[in-house]
Amino acid sequence: MSLRDRRQALIDRPDLQGDAFCRAYTAVADSWLTELFDTATDGDPRGIALVAVGGYGRKELSPYSDLDVLLVHRGRRDVSALADRIWYPVWDEGISLDHSVRSPNEALDLAGEDLRVALGLLDARVVCGDPKAAEPLVSGARERWARQKPPWLDVLADLVVERHASHGDVAFLLEPDLKEAHGGLRDVAALAALVGAVPSLADYVDTTAIDDARSVLTRVRVALHRRAGRALDKLLLQSQDEVAAALGEADSDGLMAAVAGAGRTVSWESDDAWRRQGSRSEQPGRRRRRRSRTGGSDGQIGPSEPGLTVVEGEVVLTDEADVSGDASLSLRLAAAAAEHSLPISRDALNLLGRKAPAPDSPWSVPLRSVLVRALAAGPPAVLALEALEQRMLFSRYLPEWVAVRNKPQRNPYHRFTVDRHLLETAANAATIAHRVERQDLLLLGALLHDIGKGFPGDHTEAGMEVVASVGTRLGLAPADVETLVTMVRLHLLLPEVATRRDLEDPATARRVADEVGDPATLDLLAALVEADGLATGPSAWGPWKAGLVSDLVERTGLLLAGERSLPRSPWLTEELQAVMETVRSQGMPALSIDGSVVTVVAPDRPGLLADVTGVLALHGLNVRSADVTGEDGVAVEVFTAEPARGRWPAAARLAEDLAAVGAGRLALDTRLAEKAHTYRNERRSVAPQLVEARVTVDNSASERASVVEVRAEDVVGQLHRITRALGANGLDVASARVSTFGPAVVDAFYVRTVGGGKLVDPRAIDAVARSLRDAVARDAGLPATG
């Protein structure tokens, strides 16, 4: 039986999961390769052996892992022919093979030049053949590594740091790489290599916890390979439900919580060992090298920190520390560590985990001040508070934290689990806290704004209830508790209004002013929105959204300060008027690009907006906003846009295609459908499911127009299809706003009827909504709902 068939037989056995599958597949691979080896050597293995290295050497073969092998020989002249008789059958099987042929000395010399080879040989295992041929290599590689000849550890440490920066964290990412990310399987192997070179570090590593975490990640990786039918280590959203079902998890949230817990354990153990190695390498007599996350000098932190000091570059408890009586001690430990960018002693965390008391309720002012102080340290506070939570100390202060710990967001708009997102938001808020009067409320609001995601129901409503309870328990004044509740209630208000409503419409700012109530709360919300957006992901905050929110905050602030009217931007400049005259006389469209603003001046005609948006989409431009006006038969359409692939098309080419569409020479719908199909196939790997199409009509958002909101999948040409459907229903679009949330887009259109009024007839509203749902569902292949 071929190796592919034997592997498939194992894949088809649902009882073989995780480590059990890896061991079974390794045994099958060993047996099959041994058969090849015996045939190739005609039963004469003298002086030659087949050695498994790397993951194969560790017996950690997932379904589609490479076979990493080394044919070791002691001067056999027929080694090349023997190798071909082994390698070719493997290639014929379509099995990924990483192979080489070396004498022991050649392999050891190469390990002295290539870290990857050196690491692979640490797990060398003889599969078949003459053990004596391989023994000098197996023992020599481990001996040289133990003696650090050459000294690879510094290089490996730097590679570990670079890999973490590139791949993020297993514990906190929405779609973690189980192998390469911080806390993944590669870290387990790197930690073993570190301990192999510095055996004394084994005293500080919880090997049982590491092995349990490795087992969890391996179990998920094997299931992921099975589901994908190929080598795949990134646990994408679209795979999580199926992997969870295959592993018997209740749902994907349970799966991702287990993955996050394993990632936390691996990163915690690994980081601590590497930090200790970094401190060791900086001791007198050793070459000094700068290491991340360490610093400071030994000694008392300060007179205001009884019970804390610094020893060997980490914050520790003194003998005088009141571990079982001082409820502030854990938070003070985290605050001091964050303020000095130092790690927290593991012994201190273990001791506090066993003995630290829960705080009294309500909290004292000094205790609350310590929490605020820790948060005010900014980004270093994330690691310090995460360290507390390794021993469940942070949730001892905030029991509600347990509900969001390791909780995935299940939304590609977010990049972090809920707990990490909250800590990142608070860290961001600390960097801009100088903008607000009540910095304490900003930091607490940032920490708690999404706490409701850990509880049933709407996360905002649940969060308001939770925050009211937490704020009272923290000992805040009733007015401050109410402010925190308002921050939770309105934490989405500014970005939603700024990106979905026309800021030039006076009703927009008035609505926000009525909701917010006072300038101080407006300032808190503005800072929270920025901190939240930066912590969410790259699609949640950028110059475009920041500018819109800033404009909205400025307009709202004027109203709250007593202004009765707001300034409007003049649209008809002398330059634009000249362009309109040229277009009027020549009958040809004019198009210009200035930064992110695309201005189209063209003879007005039915369907012009739909054609323009279609041409922009065809050239890879994502429209973020649109404003439509004009006079005397000439339309002026101004778009804020950004290129999907980073390159702006030439304005002249856009104008040519727009003219071709108007003349019937360019089949716009056909071209857009082809582009949409290609783009959706490229994106599908990150989208967990298709987006339902929804339409709403709001007649209260503006005094002069109806606001039609359409939620649909973010596919090429969607704005074109929607504007075409609006035009077909006799509606003029005055302006539009486009917001993207992962795979979904929410388009808001300010529309008027042919007579210039609002869309108020219920039957007409139903007809428009039905037409829009059909348009996006029919053209994009989506389910339409009411």
Side-chain angles (χ1 to χ4, degrees):
M1 183 185 294
S2 70
L3 180 58
R4 286 174 62 92
D5 290 341
R6 299 181 194 187
R7 180 181 67 183
Q8 190 59 48
L10 298 178
I11 291 173
D12 292 340
R13 286 182 55 185
D15 61 306
L16 282 179
Q17 303 282 357
D19 289 337
F21 177 93
C22 294
R23 289 190 295 268
Y25 183 26
T26 297
V28 164
D30 284 357
S31 175
W32 188 74
L33 287 173
T34 298
E35 294 171 10
L36 293 181
F37 181 88
D38 289 343
T39 300
T41 60
D42 291 327
D44 180 14
R46 289 175 297 174
I48 191 167
L50 189 64
V51 176
V53 298
Y56 182 24
R58 295 190 299 272
K59 301 184 179 182
E60 294 178 357
L61 286 182
S62 290
Y64 297 96
S65 295
D66 292 352
L67 295 181
D68 294 338
V69 294
L70 174 63
L71 192 61
V72 183
H73 68 96
R74 293 193 298 180
R76 281 189 61 149
R77 295 180 180 180
D78 60 348
V79 67
S80 294
L82 290 176
D84 288 344
R85 288 198 289 270
I86 298 173
W87 305 153
Y88 276 100
V90 179
W91 292 329
D92 290 342
E93 289 282 293
I95 302 294
S96 296
L97 179 69
D98 190 345
H99 63 92
S100 61
V101 180
R102 299 273 188 271
S103 69
N105 286 338
E106 288 173 340
L108 290 172
D109 288 345
L110 186 59
E113 301 171 359
D114 189 327
L115 174 59
R116 179 175 173 272
V117 174
L119 291 173
L121 289 177
L122 292 179
D123 300 302
R125 175 179 60 83
V126 177
V127 174
C128 55
D130 184 355
K132 293 181 179 179
E135 197 281 332
L137 172 64
V138 174
S139 61
R142 292 169 184 167
E143 179 186 352
R144 290 190 182 191
W145 182 264
R147 292 189 293 114
Q148 280 297 283
K149 300 290 185 180
W152 279 123
L153 276 188
D154 287 353
V155 179
L156 178 57
D158 290 337
L159 291 177
V160 167
V161 172
E162 291 172 9
R163 176 165 49 79
H164 293 171
S166 176
H167 293 279
D169 289 79
V170 168
F172 308 118
L173 289 179
L174 184 70
E175 296 180 323
D177 189 313
L178 301 172
K179 184 176 180 180
E180 302 292 345
H182 185 199
L185 292 167
R186 185 79 74 186
D187 275 344
V188 176
L191 178 60
L194 172 60
V195 172
V198 189
S200 61
L201 291 176
D203 295 338
Y204 301 97
V205 177
D206 187 339
T207 55
T208 299
I210 280 285
D211 194 58
D212 288 346
R214 181 205 55 76
S215 181
V216 169
L217 296 176
T218 299
R219 185 168 174 261
V220 177
R221 186 184 186 218
V222 168
L224 180 59
H225 277 217
R226 268 191 169 121
R227 186 263 172 200
R230 61 186 176 90
L232 179 65
D233 295 321
K234 191 169 186 178
L235 187 51
L236 301 173
L237 274 170
Q238 67 171 26
S239 305
Q240 290 171 11
D241 286 332
E242 293 183 31
V243 171
L247 295 177
E249 296 284 353
D251 53 31
S252 56
D253 280 4
L255 168 73
M256 297 310 294
V259 168
R264 279 179 184 267
T265 297
V266 172
S267 60
W268 172 248
E269 298 290 338
S270 174
D271 289 354
D272 182 71
W274 281 110
R275 182 189 61 76
R276 292 180 186 277
Q277 166 59 18
S279 299
R280 175 179 173 274
S281 67
E282 293 176 349
Q283 291 174 2
R286 297 183 179 273
R287 180 169 62 88
R288 297 187 63 82
R289 62 192 307 274
R290 186 176 64 185
R291 301 287 295 151
S292 61
R293 296 179 56 193
T294 63
S297 57
D298 290 359
Q300 186 75 22
I301 292 178
S304 62
E305 295 297 345
L308 305 181
T309 191
V310 177
V311 176
E312 295 184 356
E314 60 184 14
V315 184
V316 304
L317 300 177
T318 66
D319 293 339
E320 294 76 25
D322 186 3
V323 176
S324 58
D326 183 357
S328 72
L329 187 58
S330 298
L331 278 180
R332 289 196 295 110
L333 185 68
E339 289 167 347
H340 293 82
S341 294
L342 291 170
I344 300 174
S345 160
R346 182 171 296 205
D347 289 340
L349 291 170
N350 290 338
L351 182 60
L352 287 167
R354 295 193 302 271
K355 296 187 176 183
D360 293 333
S361 181
W363 287 22
S364 66
V365 172
L367 178 58
R368 187 173 69 248
S369 297
V370 175
L371 173 59
V372 172
R373 174 188 154 203
L375 297 174
V382 175
L383 295 178
L385 294 175
E386 284 285 357
L388 290 190
E389 192 58 9
Q390 287 291 336
R391 296 297 179 261
M392 304 299 286
L393 288 166
F394 191 58
S395 52
R396 197 168 300 182
Y397 289 102
L398 295 174
E400 295 81 0
W401 198 256
V402 174
V404 296
R405 190 176 194 268
N406 295 341
K407 187 172 182 60
Q409 306 254 25
R410 301 289 295 160
N411 182 335
Y413 192 55
H414 283 271
R415 58 180 170 177
F416 291 128
T417 53
V418 178
D419 56 339
R420 185 56 176 256
H421 171 72
L422 292 175
L423 291 177
E424 294 283 348
T425 302
N428 292 334
T431 66
I432 56 176
H434 60 277
R435 300 180 190 173
V436 303
E437 181 179 346
R438 290 294 303 274
Q439 297 184 13
D440 58 335
L441 294 183
L442 173 61
L443 295 172
L444 292 173
L447 180 69
L448 299 170
H449 75 281
D450 270 348
I451 195 73
K453 289 184 176 179
F455 299 86
D458 177 81
H459 88 275
T460 297
E461 294 180 1
M464 292 167 59
E465 183 176 342
V466 171
V467 167
S469 173
V470 172
T472 301
R473 192 170 71 247
L474 293 179
L476 291 169
D480 290 344
V481 174
E482 184 57 34
T483 297
L484 280 183
V485 172
T486 299
M487 291 174 69
V488 174
R489 178 171 63 87
L490 301 180
H491 75 277
L492 297 175
L493 176 67
L494 294 181
E496 287 186 350
V497 171
T499 58
R500 301 188 196 178
R501 294 295 180 262
D502 186 353
L503 302 186
E504 294 282 340
D505 191 324
T508 300
R510 280 200 295 271
R511 174 203 164 187
V512 175
D514 290 342
E515 289 269 18
V516 172
D518 61 80
T521 302
L522 179 64
D523 289 343
L524 286 169
L525 288 172
L528 174 58
V529 164
E530 181 174 342
D532 185 18
L534 290 170
T536 298
S539 63
W541 194 257
W544 173 74
K545 182 178 284 188
L548 291 178
V549 170
S550 177
D551 190 6
L552 176 59
V553 170
E554 181 179 359
R555 291 170 176 273
T556 304
L558 289 173
L559 292 179
L560 291 173
E563 294 287 342
R564 294 187 176 182
S565 61
L566 298 175
R568 294 183 62 86
S569 302
W571 71 273
L572 189 57
T573 63
E574 291 185 5
E575 181 181 359
L576 180 57
Q577 193 168 13
V579 175
M580 292 175 68
E581 288 295 335
T582 301
V583 170
R584 189 177 291 111
S585 62
Q586 297 181 355
M588 294 295 293
L591 190 147
S592 64
I593 300 175
D594 182 10
S596 61
V597 177
V598 180
T599 302
V600 177
V601 183
D604 201 3
R605 59 177 173 81
L608 175 62
L609 178 60
D611 288 347
V612 173
T613 57
V615 169
L616 295 179
L618 190 61
H619 286 269
L621 293 179
N622 294 329
V623 173
R624 295 306 182 197
S625 68
D627 291 285
V628 181
T629 187
E631 62 180 26
D632 297 334
V634 176
V636 178
E637 300 179 353
V638 182
F639 303 87
T640 301
E642 59 185 18
R645 301 301 175 93
R647 293 185 57 186
W648 282 90
R653 180 68 184 278
L654 292 173
E656 291 173 5
D657 281 357
L658 180 58
V661 172
R665 301 192 305 272
L666 179 61
L668 184 58
D669 288 344
T670 300
R671 294 280 301 279
L672 284 173
E674 294 171 352
K675 192 176 183 72
H677 177 73
T678 301
Y679 182 60
R680 187 188 293 116
N681 286 342
E682 292 177 357
R683 304 177 54 250
R684 183 61 62 215
S685 64
V686 300
Q689 59 185 11
L690 294 176
V691 178
E692 290 184 340
R694 298 183 181 275
V695 179
T696 60
V697 178
D698 184 358
N699 277 308
S700 65
S702 172
E703 297 175 354
R704 56 185 175 84
S706 299
V707 178
V708 178
E709 276 198 358
V710 183
R711 181 180 185 272
E713 186 184 6
D714 182 19
V715 295
V716 173
Q718 196 69 284
L719 185 59
H720 162 73
R721 285 185 281 274
I722 295 171
T723 51
R724 183 181 59 188
L726 291 171
N729 281 273
L731 296 175
D732 288 330
V733 178
S735 63
R737 298 292 180 271
V738 180
S739 300
T740 303
F741 303 93
V745 64
V746 178
D747 295 349
F749 302 89
Y750 282 67
V751 301
R752 290 188 288 264
T753 64
V754 175
K758 290 186 176 184
L759 182 64
V760 294
D761 183 354
R763 289 176 298 180
I765 290 175
D766 288 342
V768 169
R770 187 165 53 252
S771 175
L772 290 170
R773 289 195 298 270
D774 289 346
V776 297
R778 181 179 63 253
D779 291 334
L782 305 174
T785 62

